[in-house]
Amino acid sequence: MNDASRTQPIIECPFLQTEGTDGVDHLVRLAADVCKAPMAGLALVESGRVLWRSGVGMGGGESAFCLRALSQDAPLTIGNACEDAHFHDHPWVVGEPHVRAFIGAPLLALDGKPHGVLCIWDTHPRSFSESDIRAVAGLGRALTAHLDLLSHTAALESRLIRYGEDEALLQDQINWINNYGRDLEVRAARLEAINARLEALAKLDGMTGLKNHRAFQERLETEFQRAARYSMPLSLLLLDVDHFKSFNDSYGHLAGDEVLKALAQVLQESARGLDFVARYGGEEFVMILPHADHLGAIGIGERMRTGIEAAAWPNRPITASIGVATLTRGMERPSDLIAQADRALYASKANGRNLVTHAKNLVEE
């Protein structure tokens, strides 16, 4: 579809005045989470006007980016707005909120008419990955289906009111609603499956396939509260790849990425079934160890350290320094456990690397 066919998009939006549209806000928030972007919004377009339905991290509305994305059949991506011919002098680029990257997915009904645009902005230049583009396109389709459902529901309610006095027509409408209700259930189930998949993707590290930092923080909060409530042991293991920067400098970042992927697999294969393994950030990894006291945690840490050291690595041997901490009565927040593990990790690195150090031993020394 070309630009001319969308210069005056006309959309009937009776659902804007109805309840039950929380799903729209949820999908918009999910778009921001999946793309790890600070700003996202849903714009509905009517007669060339942009009407904002939902927004995350936005202080006000904007139309130029949205109308540009509306002219596309696939998501529009802009890696650096400062270098884009259309937007280099846009107020949002030269001033607050200093937009740099943008991805927008047009929302098209089955008949080709535009509902609007799902927009995501970032304040840093970036290249959107294929998974980002697929996720945004999928969310756009989910929003389109959701808006279609709301619109059709409003149309049905209007028909019921209009023909409420005609018993025969009312019965026909009831039959039609029953049939359509079954279709809505199928669509709702599909939307729920899409939402669940996107929620899972938002908590995965794209490179290693492990859980990401966000998922780790959520799980640690849960395990910390459970251990504190039921007086159960809980330990945390923080791991850092030794001399990783020099490895990247010598063999390149692609080779470094392969090391992180292989190390993640070693950790997964060596972990117990109840352990939680995640990428903490950069070359750091973290493991939550439920039901592990300080001796058990040291043993698990040594198993991880020796497993990494013994693995077959290309280019040169790889080792890791590990810091371990175990929950004590003096710890009030999950961040206390992280701080102790980080302190122990620093000691392992300071004492020659390729070591496992428990925070308890630092106190006793």
Side-chain angles (χ1 to χ4, degrees):
M1 184 178 293
N2 57 34
D3 291 5
S5 63
R6 298 186 189 165
T7 54
Q8 291 294 324
I10 300 175
I11 310 169
E12 294 181 3
C13 302
F15 51 82
L16 282 174
Q17 303 302 322
T18 65
E19 298 180 352
T21 59
D22 289 344
V24 172
D25 298 325
H26 173 75
L27 290 172
V28 172
R29 286 193 299 271
L30 193 56
D33 288 344
V34 168
C35 291
K36 298 178 177 62
M39 300 167 57
L42 171 63
L44 301 177
V45 184
E46 184 177 36
S47 300
R49 294 182 303 128
V50 176
L51 307 175
W52 287 98
R53 168 59 186 84
S54 181
V56 175
M58 296 173 58
E62 187 283 333
S63 61
F65 282 89
C66 301
L67 291 176
R68 180 72 178 167
L70 191 69
S71 67
Q72 311 294 312
D73 290 313
L76 168 69
T77 61
I78 298 173
N80 189 344
C82 291
E83 300 173 357
D84 187 89
H86 295 281
F87 299 107
H88 65 92
D89 57 352
H90 188 279
W92 273 28
V93 176
V94 299
E96 291 290 342
H98 298 290
V99 165
R100 293 296 177 266
F102 169 80
I103 181 170
L107 276 56
L108 303 178
L110 293 177
D111 60 2
K113 292 182 180 179
H115 274 309
V117 187
L118 172 61
C119 303
I120 299 98
W121 293 270
D122 203 336
T123 53
H124 300 282
R126 61 184 286 186
S127 296
F128 290 96
S129 66
E130 288 297 324
S131 62
D132 288 335
I133 295 172
R134 286 195 301 270
V136 171
L139 279 167
R141 290 190 294 271
L143 277 166
T144 298
H146 195 80
L147 295 175
D148 278 338
L149 293 182
L150 293 173
S151 181
H152 285 310
T153 300
L156 290 177
E157 292 175 351
S158 178
R159 289 183 185 181
L160 285 174
I161 295 173
R162 191 181 310 140
Y163 301 117
E165 296 179 359
D166 189 321
E167 185 176 352
L169 289 176
L170 179 60
Q171 186 59 52
D172 289 341
Q173 292 299 312
I174 291 173
N175 293 337
W176 190 86
I177 290 171
N178 289 335
N179 292 332
Y180 193 76
R182 286 187 286 271
D183 184 51
L184 291 183
E185 291 177 359
V186 173
R187 294 193 184 191
R190 290 175 181 170
L191 285 175
E192 185 176 351
I194 291 173
N195 288 341
R197 176 59 178 161
L198 290 173
E199 287 279 11
L201 288 174
K203 296 181 180 180
L204 282 181
D205 175 63
M207 179 190 298
T208 63
L210 297 177
K211 297 296 185 180
N212 61 18
H213 190 272
R214 170 188 167 186
F216 157 68
Q217 292 288 356
E218 292 179 0
R219 182 64 171 268
L220 181 60
E221 177 69 30
T222 299
E223 295 294 347
F224 188 92
Q225 296 300 331
R226 178 185 292 119
R229 177 177 298 177
Y230 298 107
S231 299
M232 296 188 302
L234 174 67
S235 294
L236 187 70
L237 183 154
L238 197 57
L239 178 151
D240 185 87
V241 182
D242 293 331
H243 303 295
F244 189 69
K245 183 180 183 302
S246 66
F247 184 96
N248 278 341
D249 292 342
S250 299
Y251 303 105
H253 289 277
L254 292 179
D257 290 347
E258 292 304 316
V259 166
L260 296 180
K261 293 176 186 177
L263 190 141
Q265 185 174 357
V266 171
L267 296 180
Q268 284 280 60
E269 292 174 351
S270 302
R272 303 174 303 168
L274 70 166
D275 295 336
F276 185 88
V277 185
R279 186 181 180 190
Y280 194 69
E283 66 271 27
E284 289 190 329
F285 296 81
V286 66
M287 292 181 63
I288 303 173
L289 310 175
H291 302 289
D293 59 17
H294 80 279
L295 292 177
I298 291 174
I300 294 171
E302 281 293 342
R303 186 167 74 246
M304 298 300 164
R305 186 192 66 78
T306 56
I308 294 168
E309 185 179 37
W313 300 102
N315 299 312
R316 76 181 193 197
I318 298 294
T319 61
S321 299
I322 299 174
V324 186
T326 300
L327 179 63
T328 62
R329 291 184 179 180
M331 296 181 183
E332 299 179 352
R333 296 174 298 275
S335 58
D336 296 335
L337 192 60
I338 297 173
Q340 288 296 311
D342 191 56
R343 185 164 160 264
L345 172 60
Y346 181 82
S348 289
K349 294 165 69 175
N351 291 326
R353 295 184 169 85
N354 193 25
L355 296 173
V356 177
T357 304
H358 196 289
K360 182 176 185 292
N361 296 335
L362 299 180
V363 176
E364 293 176 350
E365 289 177 356

